[in-house]
Amino acid sequence: MTTLRDRQGTAYRHLLAAFAAAPHVVASFPRGDLRSSSRRLPSRWLLGTLRELAGDNTLAATDWDTVGDLGGALSTSSSFSAELLRGQRLATDQEWRTRAAATDQLNDAVVHAAQETLRARAGAAFTRYDGNLTASTDLPDYRDGRRPISPTALERYVSCPHSFFVERVLGVRPIEQPEDLITISPMEVGNLVHRSFDTLAREFADDLPGFGEPWSAAHRSRLIGILHEQAAAMEADGLTGHPRLWRRERDQLEVDMAAMLDADDERRAERAARVAASEMPFGLGGQDPVTLQVPNGNVLLLGSADKVDLGQDGTVYVTDIKTGSRRSFEAIKPDNPLAGGTRLQLPVYGLAARDRFGNPDSPVQAEYWFVRKEPGYVGIEVDAPVIEALASTVDLLTESVSAGLFPPRPPETPDFMWVQCAYCNPDGIGHATARERWERQRHDPALAHLVALLEPEALDQEDA
């Protein structure tokens, strides 16, 4: 049997034969490893030649760079870029073009455009290379009262205007890689929970719990059955990841769904409320949208409220079910009901539920219901001050969209376990450069009103 040593010996003899057959030989080896930032030593197959040229049969591999140029027989380069700019013997036409472009000696419109892009993005001005489309005339103006938009889409704009433009205006979305799926995604977990609860409410539309009444044993049994049916369909579609990991997640979902009904029993008992609707659409499925009067027009809002309850006293309770962490919702406070303009769903859902089940004077309570991680509620009262704040915020955001303000706004924290914004970090390597660019350009006067809403502390720092 041929051993590894035999195969290496054969390869070495082939190399020597190739060297012997050529009048001139150029052999190279890397000086370093860019990934590990470590030094590399010459191949042991080249060490003998180095010793012969240096006249030192004891030359150590670690000392190869102490022998000089050996009369022109040994040449070194500190890096590829350095050799590209200063070397005398470039390998390809592309390398010559790259050198010419780097020294502004290449007359190429595409290269000039690329250079202009790099220079603009390195500066502090908000330019067309950074999402400044103020010169465009055909961007959507949602204040015209003709085209609806969802509060989730507006929240997307708040999170990253660039991602809103690419996804919502251009219609470009990240390509999913199902083969990379190891566990079911958080989004699919949320879809599974929502579909299961909605299916239960629809199947028992004429037999839902009354004012303060608990879910029955039949309700509970059927909910678990629906969960299994929906889960099986997702398994068939390849959305659940590795079977062993999915089995554990599915078992936990059964526990969580049962706990959901327990928590809902307690919540409705406190409020003397009954279940009125699940996945209540507005602006969809033939239902009227919510018309929000803003300072500069009317904005039509569409969406679907996860759950609506009605209290015996006429109060409308609307709930948005969340299966993730409440961390990003903790900024919602009585004196900051929209969390600085970042959370718009609750007041919009509240207005939609009041339009459907109440009257203009009906009190409305809207809340996020966290049903898995850190179970609990975060809510607001949808009163006149909240509606006024909503109108002002939506007016500013829709004005910014129609004005063409789409700067990339990457998250403050780096990406570790997952990519937070696929549009700011499309290759998954990181968004640090894009974040640095945003922190420079957010002080541009064109973005002043938007930044005052999104990051008022940044303006405070500039004033200081």
Side-chain angles (χ1 to χ4, degrees):
M1 178 181 293
T2 303
T3 64
L4 175 61
R5 185 186 182 98
D6 293 335
R7 292 194 296 271
Q8 290 178 338
T10 299
Y12 184 43
R13 287 190 293 275
H14 288 170
L15 176 67
L16 295 177
F19 282 1
H24 301 284
V25 175
V26 177
S28 63
F29 65 89
R31 297 187 58 175
D33 187 332
L34 294 179
R35 291 186 177 182
S36 61
S37 299
S38 60
R39 186 184 180 193
R40 297 286 293 271
L41 298 177
S43 165
R44 64 180 184 277
W45 290 355
L46 298 180
L47 189 56
T49 302
L50 277 174
R51 288 171 173 170
E52 182 67 24
L53 291 171
D56 182 359
N57 291 331
T58 63
L59 178 68
T62 53
D63 296 330
W64 71 269
D65 54 353
T66 66
V67 298
D69 66 357
L70 301 180
L74 177 64
S75 59
T76 63
S77 176
S78 59
S79 68
F80 173 75
S81 59
E83 188 68 18
L84 193 63
L85 293 175
R86 296 189 294 269
Q88 298 299 314
R89 293 177 292 183
L90 299 184
T92 65
D93 178 64
Q94 176 64 22
E95 291 184 356
W96 283 108
R97 285 173 54 81
T98 302
R99 172 185 286 185
T103 54
D104 291 327
Q105 297 178 15
L106 181 65
N107 186 19
D108 187 299
V110 174
V111 172
H112 288 167
Q115 291 172 327
E116 186 178 355
T117 301
L118 293 174
R119 283 192 291 265
R121 289 184 172 178
F126 177 50
T127 72
R128 66 191 182 103
Y129 300 104
D130 311 294
N132 186 343
L133 302 184
T134 52
S136 300
T137 58
D138 55 353
L139 292 169
D141 187 350
Y142 295 100
R143 297 169 298 172
D144 60 10
R146 291 183 298 175
R147 66 194 91 191
I149 187 172
S150 70
T152 305
L154 290 174
E155 289 181 359
R156 183 66 167 172
Y157 179 83
V158 170
S159 174
C160 178
H162 170 68
S163 69
F164 175 94
F165 174 73
V166 177
E167 180 179 8
R168 303 282 177 167
V169 180
L170 299 184
V172 178
R173 290 172 173 79
I175 298 175
E176 296 182 357
Q177 303 289 347
E179 65 273 15
D180 295 337
L181 189 65
I182 299 176
T183 62
I184 185 172
S185 70
M187 182 185 71
E188 294 298 346
V189 169
N191 291 340
L192 177 56
V193 170
H194 283 80
R195 283 199 297 265
S196 298
F197 190 85
D198 181 54
T199 302
L200 175 71
R202 293 182 184 278
E203 288 188 7
F204 289 87
D206 298 326
D207 186 27
L208 291 171
F211 295 108
E213 295 179 355
W215 294 91
S216 68
H219 292 141
R220 293 172 177 275
S221 175
R222 180 58 187 138
L223 178 61
I224 301 304
I226 293 170
L227 175 66
H228 288 168
E229 294 167 5
Q230 297 285 345
M234 295 179 71
E235 288 182 47
D237 290 338
L239 300 175
T240 55
H242 193 281
R244 291 188 178 179
L245 298 176
W246 165 236
R247 192 178 307 119
R248 181 181 63 182
E249 184 72 23
R250 185 184 58 199
D251 292 344
Q252 184 60 48
L253 279 166
E254 287 188 25
V255 176
D256 293 339
M257 295 295 285
M260 278 182 63
L261 298 189
D262 292 338
D264 189 59
D265 286 347
E266 294 179 8
R267 198 68 166 174
R268 287 185 300 99
E270 294 172 358
R271 296 170 166 176
R274 67 176 179 87
V275 180
S278 171
E279 296 295 338
M280 183 202 75
F282 54 96
L284 301 168
Q287 299 294 329
D288 292 335
V290 169
T291 300
L292 180 67
Q293 186 174 355
V294 299
N296 293 290
N298 291 297
V299 177
L300 303 182
L301 297 163
L302 58 81
S304 179
D306 293 341
K307 182 172 177 286
V308 180
D309 298 334
L310 297 179
Q312 282 183 318
D313 61 357
T315 301
V316 179
Y317 300 98
V318 61
T319 303
D320 188 51
I321 299 173
K322 298 294 185 184
T323 55
S325 170
R326 68 166 71 189
R327 187 179 305 111
S328 60
F329 298 84
E330 292 177 344
I332 298 174
K333 304 291 182 184
D335 61 344
N336 188 18
L338 305 184
T342 63
R343 298 298 173 189
L344 308 176
Q345 291 177 312
L346 291 185
V348 175
Y349 293 168
L351 292 175
R354 187 177 67 182
D355 289 347
R356 183 77 59 85
F357 294 102
N359 58 65
D361 297 323
S362 297
V364 178
Q365 298 282 341
E367 61 189 8
Y368 293 110
W369 179 17
F370 300 92
V371 298
R372 301 201 74 201
K373 300 177 180 178
E374 307 171 67
Y377 303 88
V378 173
I380 62 173
E381 181 180 356
V382 185
D383 54 14
V386 169
I387 296 172
E388 182 180 354
L390 174 68
S392 175
T393 300
V394 170
D395 185 60
L396 174 59
L397 296 178
T398 51
E399 179 185 12
S400 299
V401 170
S402 64
L405 305 180
F406 301 105
R409 183 177 176 244
E412 292 185 47
T413 57
D415 291 339
F416 291 111
M417 299 297 293
W418 65 87
V419 173
Q420 300 172 78
C421 179
Y423 300 93
C424 293
N425 184 15
D427 54 13
I429 295 177
H431 58 249
T433 301
R435 180 66 195 184
E436 291 172 0
R437 186 164 74 248
W438 161 252
E439 291 178 355
R440 288 194 308 270
Q441 297 174 353
R442 64 186 176 185
H443 301 292
D444 189 291
L447 297 172
H449 294 297
L450 184 60
V451 175
L453 172 68
L454 304 183
E455 298 182 12
E457 68 281 357
L459 299 181
D460 294 340
Q461 293 172 2
E462 183 180 18
D463 294 338

